[in-house]
Amino acid sequence: MAQNGHDTKEAVDDAQLKYNAANKEAYRTGTVGYHHPDYIKPYKGCNTHFPFYLVQPDVDIFQARPEDTVICGFPKSGSSRLSAIAGMILNDGDSSFLQSGPNLDQKAPFFEFCTPLNEKGPRSIDMLNKQPGGRLYFTHLAFTAAPQSLLTNKAKVIYHIRNPKDVMITLYYHFISRILSNFHGDLNEMVDAFTEDRIVYGPYFDHLASYWKLRNEPNVLIVSFEHLSENFQETAKQISSFLGKDLTQEQLRNVEHETSFQQMKANARTNRYDKHIAGIYDHNISPFLRCGVPGGWREHLTPAMNAKVNAWITKNLARPDLEGLAERFASTFTLH
């Protein structure tokens, strides 16, 4: 494994490259890009999108297990890092969880992943159904569209939130670097999609509300990107306790080191460099892990954009079903 050398093809497993090449071919022959009218299909209050809505019937009947750990959150809110943190905690802070073996997105798969071929192509849900014991996976679905067995079967659900301004900037760069999205808009288009509630996996504040109402459930933990940045150790201990693990200070320090943004960005197994090689992402435009610093939106939003977003945030945080959210996560919802 090439450490800090994600410019070398040798840093990625050959089997992973073949897997991604097959996925790319499936998309090439059946792409419905971002601007296509069939790209988004609302389902149970969530803007599911192509091709992942093809697997939704099987999502609905999926049976979570009490031993499962499920990372839930809006896209680009920190799913990869939180998956890495949870995986390392479950493996007692062992660096090999991120430094050897399959890539992170195979150890903690994207739950609703499928190709345009659906049942004829690779699907995470099929892999998970065959996997014994406790499983680690992540989903971007609002809880209304997620498997309800997450709650009824008492899987460990960790929901993560992030400043929505940083989310929209990072999602914009994700779309322009993810070749298969076929996105040709600018940042204004991304801001409008959020504030007009037509963004993928949105509406954004409905997504938050669907999990916020579960905050008192014993199998649900809500954390924030900003709290992880402000006090990693405190948040990591909270996650460890939630997962029934009691890590030593040395193990927690190792988790913090291995899951730091710069370390994960330099690690081909966590930065999805294999998908750059396969032509799914273009890391020359933007790497999958782009900017891990809270407040990066200030370098991108114009005053007009910022005013529009502030009005949208203020209006939604006043909703009765989000009462207490802004107070609990003040640094996440700062307007300045």
Side-chain angles (χ1 to χ4, degrees):
M1 167 71 190
Q3 296 297 321
N4 302 321
H6 52 281
D7 57 336
T8 61
K9 184 174 180 178
E10 291 74 17
V12 184
D13 183 79
D14 284 342
Q16 188 73 37
L17 292 177
K18 292 177 182 178
Y19 177 88
N20 284 315
N23 290 348
K24 183 185 177 185
E25 178 63 15
Y27 276 95
R28 188 189 67 79
T29 57
T31 294
V32 173
Y34 178 88
H35 303 280
H36 192 283
D38 291 333
Y39 185 67
I40 287 180
K41 289 188 177 182
Y43 183 78
K44 295 184 178 181
C46 182
N47 291 337
T48 57
H49 74 94
F50 183 84
F52 308 134
Y53 56 61
L54 300 175
V55 79
Q56 197 66 46
D58 294 306
V59 169
D60 291 343
I61 61 174
F62 177 80
Q63 290 301 304
R65 300 170 188 158
E67 318 92 83
D68 287 353
T69 299
V70 191
I71 309 301
C72 303
F74 200 85
K76 310 314 292 183
S77 296
S79 297
S80 292
R81 190 182 185 204
L82 198 52
S83 295
I85 291 169
M88 282 200 68
I89 287 172
L90 290 169
N91 286 272
D92 300 316
D94 188 347
S95 297
S96 65
F97 179 76
L98 298 180
Q99 296 294 350
S100 63
N103 293 345
L104 175 62
D105 62 342
Q106 297 297 301
K107 293 177 177 178
F110 175 33
F111 175 68
E112 58 265 30
F113 171 81
C114 71
T115 73
L117 302 179
N118 198 16
E119 291 98 333
K120 296 180 181 179
R123 305 193 309 173
S124 294
I125 201 166
D126 297 327
M127 181 185 75
L128 290 167
N129 280 330
K130 295 175 183 177
Q131 186 176 330
R135 302 161 295 188
L136 172 64
Y137 46 99
F138 75 92
T139 180
H140 294 317
L141 290 167
F143 187 73
T144 52
Q148 298 305 290
S149 63
L150 296 182
L151 188 62
T152 58
N153 292 356
K154 304 299 182 184
K156 294 291 181 66
V157 173
I158 304 176
Y159 184 67
H160 56 97
I161 61 175
R162 185 183 187 184
N163 186 308
K165 296 181 184 183
D166 282 333
V167 171
M168 60 180 65
I169 300 301
T170 307
L171 189 58
Y172 167 71
Y173 277 100
H174 176 72
F175 270 127
I176 63 174
S177 62
R178 186 180 184 274
I179 298 167
L180 302 176
S181 295
N182 200 28
F183 177 80
H184 304 299
D186 57 14
L187 184 54
N188 266 308
E189 162 62 19
M190 184 60 61
V191 169
D192 288 346
F194 268 86
T195 58
E196 296 169 10
D197 291 337
R198 52 182 175 81
I199 190 63
V200 294
Y201 288 102
Y204 175 82
F205 282 100
D206 287 0
H207 196 290
L208 266 61
S210 74
Y211 286 93
W212 182 242
K213 70 179 181 181
L214 306 176
R215 62 191 180 279
N216 295 321
E217 295 289 339
N219 65 310
V220 176
L221 175 66
I222 301 179
V223 300
S224 79
F225 186 96
E226 289 71 26
H227 280 182
L228 269 171
S229 298
E230 295 161 3
N231 194 329
F232 181 92
Q233 289 290 315
E234 179 182 295
T235 307
K237 287 178 182 178
Q238 186 182 20
I239 295 170
S240 298
S241 177
F242 178 71
L243 296 178
K245 302 292 287 186
D246 184 17
L247 270 60
T248 66
Q249 281 300 116
E250 182 178 354
Q251 289 171 326
L252 286 170
R253 282 193 293 270
N254 200 42
V255 174
E256 182 172 14
H257 170 73
E258 294 291 352
T259 64
S260 68
F261 183 80
Q262 290 305 320
Q263 190 74 2
M264 288 188 64
K265 185 175 182 178
N267 185 345
R269 297 183 187 277
T270 55
N271 202 12
R272 302 195 183 182
Y273 184 65
D274 59 301
K275 291 175 175 58
H276 168 69
I277 294 176
I280 294 174
Y281 294 134
D282 187 346
H283 279 202
N284 295 314
I285 297 174
S286 177
F288 179 74
L289 297 174
R290 187 190 64 88
C291 176
V293 180
W297 62 267
R298 296 183 182 90
E299 301 176 9
H300 299 276
L301 293 182
T302 66
M305 290 178 187
N306 192 44
K308 177 184 287 190
V309 175
N310 281 348
W312 170 71
I313 292 174
T314 300
K315 176 184 175 180
N316 279 280
L317 288 178
R319 291 167 42 164
D321 57 353
L322 290 174
E323 184 178 2
L325 178 66
E327 289 75 19
R328 180 166 167 183
F329 297 103
S331 58
T332 297
F333 295 103
T334 179
L335 299 180
H336 306 291

